[in-house]
Amino acid sequence: MKKEKDNIEYCGQTIIHEDIVKEINDRMLKDETVMALAEFFKVFGDSTRLKILYALSMSEMCVCDLAALLSMSQSAISHQLKVLRQTRLIKYRKDGKVVYYSLDDDHIRRVFEQGLAHVNE
Amino acid sequence: MKKEKDNIEYCGQTIIHEDIVKEINDRMLKDETVMALAEFFKVFGDSTRLKILYALSMSEMCVCDLAALLSMSQSAISHQLKVLRQTRLIKYRKDGKVVYYSLDDDHIRRVFEQGLAHVNE
DNA sequence: ATATCATATGAATAATTGTTCATATGTTGT
DNA sequence: ACAACATATGAACAATTATTCATATGATAT
């Protein structure tokens, strides 16, 4: 049941299973795409932002609401909302001084669900 | 078309739409769950790890292969593989000195797809 | 045993990032 | 115009993290 060792070269620095590396290299994602993807997931990689997103998946909320809900400073929440806005995960509407935030699309709910599915094994 | 401003309180530090905050608070995820989720997504929030995962979604590969493919040091790759192992995203098998890595389940492909869907708008 | 090779790992460093603090912007009501 | 309030933002600081460098481990072949 051993794999063919025939094409195991030396790995001085670089060379190995040349054929495989070449093939995978051809099918690899563009660097640009990978970086965009990383930025996207990075946004989900913070508890505060996840909580905000989860809260907004249930109801639109203003900044004060969110700060109270998460027991965090208005400033901290506002900074994070900016990140979420810039990555187009949330949108907002103004009503006087109050700004109401909500999810930008349902798409995000699905990402969330995939994550939860993995976490809950 | 104005929203009812009736229950807009003052936001001195904390109080606001009390009713909404209370309801959302009750339906909020456990802190433990949120942190696990954040850890999970954090792993996807790095270009190197994304490239590794994408490569492994096409074929199992050894450490040397990956280092060559991504033009990175063996050490850097090895450190990242450790992260991916610890979060159960990849598994490995040994054949002599060579260690072959592969995806742990197809689940990960789906997360990837969701991300790509968002990035490609 | 020893040399060689593939991989792993600890420590150090550089870069990134979340939160706080202080302050600015913009809106409402007087 | 002014005071009060909701939100936004820049700078500073602390914590986290990806990579490099040096070295360790474990396996093969001679």
Side-chain angles (χ1 to χ4, degrees):
Chain A
M1 275 304 181
K2 291 274 167 185
K3 276 284 151 75
E4 56 284 326
K5 306 191 171 185
D6 316 332
N7 47 1
I8 296 185
E9 312 286 345
Y10 5 73
C11 186
Q13 246 41 284
T14 28
I15 335 273
I16 340 90
H17 306 74
E18 268 196 71
D19 44 349
I20 294 184
V21 173
K22 267 182 187 155
E23 197 215 322
I24 303 292
N25 190 53
D26 288 343
R27 301 169 57 195
M28 210 59 186
L29 290 173
K30 279 184 296 188
D31 250 54
E32 191 194 350
T33 307
V34 175
M35 279 173 58
L37 250 189
E39 292 311 311
F40 173 71
F41 284 121
K42 211 172 283 182
V43 178
F44 285 88
D46 175 79
S47 318
T48 302
R49 286 191 294 264
L50 282 181
K51 286 178 193 167
I52 292 175
L53 289 173
Y54 192 72
L56 296 183
S57 78
M58 298 188 274
S59 165
E60 75 167 8
M61 294 180 89
C62 71
V63 181
C64 259
D65 284 343
L66 288 167
L69 177 67
L70 306 187
S71 307
M72 290 180 64
S73 73
Q74 174 269 318
S75 179
I77 298 295
S78 202
H79 277 295
Q80 295 299 5
L81 287 171
K82 187 178 189 180
V83 174
L84 293 170
R85 248 187 291 128
Q86 287 172 336
T87 46
R88 304 208 159 281
L89 297 185
I90 60 175
K91 58 190 175 190
Y92 65 95
R93 93 187 152 78
K94 288 187 163 185
D95 184 15
K97 328 172 212 175
V98 183
V99 181
Y100 292 93
Y101 283 91
S102 55
L103 286 197
D104 203 0
D105 67 10
D106 301 296
H107 195 192
I108 291 148
R109 288 193 180 79
R110 257 174 283 148
V111 175
F112 229 100
E113 281 159 24
Q114 293 291 335
L116 275 172
H118 183 90
V119 166
N120 301 329
E121 208 87 346
Chain B
M1 277 300 183
K2 289 276 166 185
K3 275 287 152 74
E4 56 285 326
K5 307 191 170 186
D6 318 331
N7 47 0
I8 296 187
E9 313 287 344
Y10 2 73
C11 187
Q13 245 44 284
T14 29
I15 334 271
I16 341 90
H17 305 74
E18 269 196 69
D19 45 349
I20 294 183
V21 173
K22 268 183 188 153
E23 198 214 320
I24 303 293
N25 190 54
D26 288 343
R27 301 170 57 195
M28 209 59 186
L29 291 172
K30 279 183 296 187
D31 250 54
E32 189 194 351
T33 307
V34 174
M35 278 173 60
L37 249 189
E39 292 310 312
F40 174 71
F41 284 122
K42 211 171 284 182
V43 178
F44 285 87
D46 175 79
S47 317
T48 301
R49 285 191 295 264
L50 281 181
K51 286 179 192 166
I52 292 175
L53 289 173
Y54 192 71
L56 295 184
S57 78
M58 298 188 273
S59 165
E60 74 167 8
M61 294 180 89
C62 70
V63 181
C64 258
D65 283 343
L66 288 166
L69 177 68
L70 306 187
S71 307
M72 290 181 62
S73 73
Q74 175 268 318
S75 178
I77 298 295
S78 202
H79 277 295
Q80 295 299 5
L81 287 172
K82 188 179 188 178
V83 174
L84 294 169
R85 248 187 289 127
Q86 286 172 336
T87 47
R88 305 209 156 279
L89 297 184
I90 59 174
K91 58 190 176 190
Y92 64 95
R93 92 184 151 81
K94 287 188 165 185
D95 184 14
K97 328 172 214 178
V98 183
V99 181
Y100 293 94
Y101 283 91
S102 55
L103 288 197
D104 203 1
D105 67 11
D106 302 297
H107 195 190
I108 291 149
R109 287 193 181 78
R110 257 174 284 148
V111 175
F112 229 100
E113 281 159 24
Q114 293 290 335
L116 275 171
H118 183 90
V119 166
N120 301 327
E121 209 85 348

